[in-house]
Amino acid sequence: MKKGLLITLGVILMLVFMGGCGYNGMNTSQKEAQQKWADVQSSYQRRADLIPNLVATVKGVANFETTTLTQVIQARANATSIKVDPKDLTPEKLQQFQQSQGQLSQALGRLMVVSEQYPELKANESFRDLQSQLEGTENRIKVSRDDFNEAVKVYNVKVTNFPNNILAGMFHFKEMAMFQAEQGAEKAPKVQF
């Protein structure tokens, strides 16, 4: 009788220990993914912070196309207005965030193309510095998105693998959405002169 009770207690303790380790592992991975999301948002915020200086520099050039500047300003306002809580990263919210950031990227791309027509702007040291900082920021954004996707992958594997998937359901750990390429990104853009 005593031996059976000890075995039962041993099995219960082992299950509690394994469950605690599984919970802690999922929780740690979730927090890591949330931190990586904060890094992504920080990189996008850096880009948004550079845009007012870029617009001010470009405005200094006489006869610059105001519609292009207006589009950049509006796209920045839209992109910075969308906030996604790292604790609630649904595919829909992530896609909405990506879409607004994509619109800002397109507007900035148009600004850079139009700026090629203004030799005095291209010669402006402030403009060149801002352009260089934007290029570096775009690289940071890509690295941040890649790091985020890797952290989400690790978390999602922990949440969906057995026996953690049982604990995940009990403690409401849900899979997180990953960054995905925008629709049409697989096609090379057409450059026309």
Side-chain angles (χ1 to χ4, degrees), residues 32-47:
E32 177 71 20
Q34 289 172 351
Q35 174 60 48
K36 295 297 181 183
W37 176 249
D39 293 346
V40 168
Q41 288 182 313
S42 175
S43 295
Y44 277 117
Q45 185 61 51
R46 175 177 162 70
R47 177 174 71 175

Side-chain angles (χ1 to χ4, degrees), residues 81-129:
S81 70
I82 295 178
K83 304 290 182 205
V84 179
D85 183 0
K87 295 178 182 172
D88 189 25
L89 281 172
T90 63
E92 297 81 21
K93 290 179 182 177
L94 194 56
Q95 184 171 8
Q96 183 184 19
F97 180 82
Q98 281 182 257
Q99 190 174 34
S100 69
Q101 293 298 333
Q103 290 169 352
L104 179 55
S105 293
Q106 290 173 357
L108 281 172
R110 284 190 298 275
L111 176 67
M112 293 305 166
V113 168
V114 170
S115 70
E116 292 294 317
Q117 300 169 6
Y118 294 86
E120 64 274 15
L121 181 60
K122 287 176 26 180
N124 183 306
E125 187 177 337
S126 294
F127 180 77
R128 286 194 321 263
D129 289 347

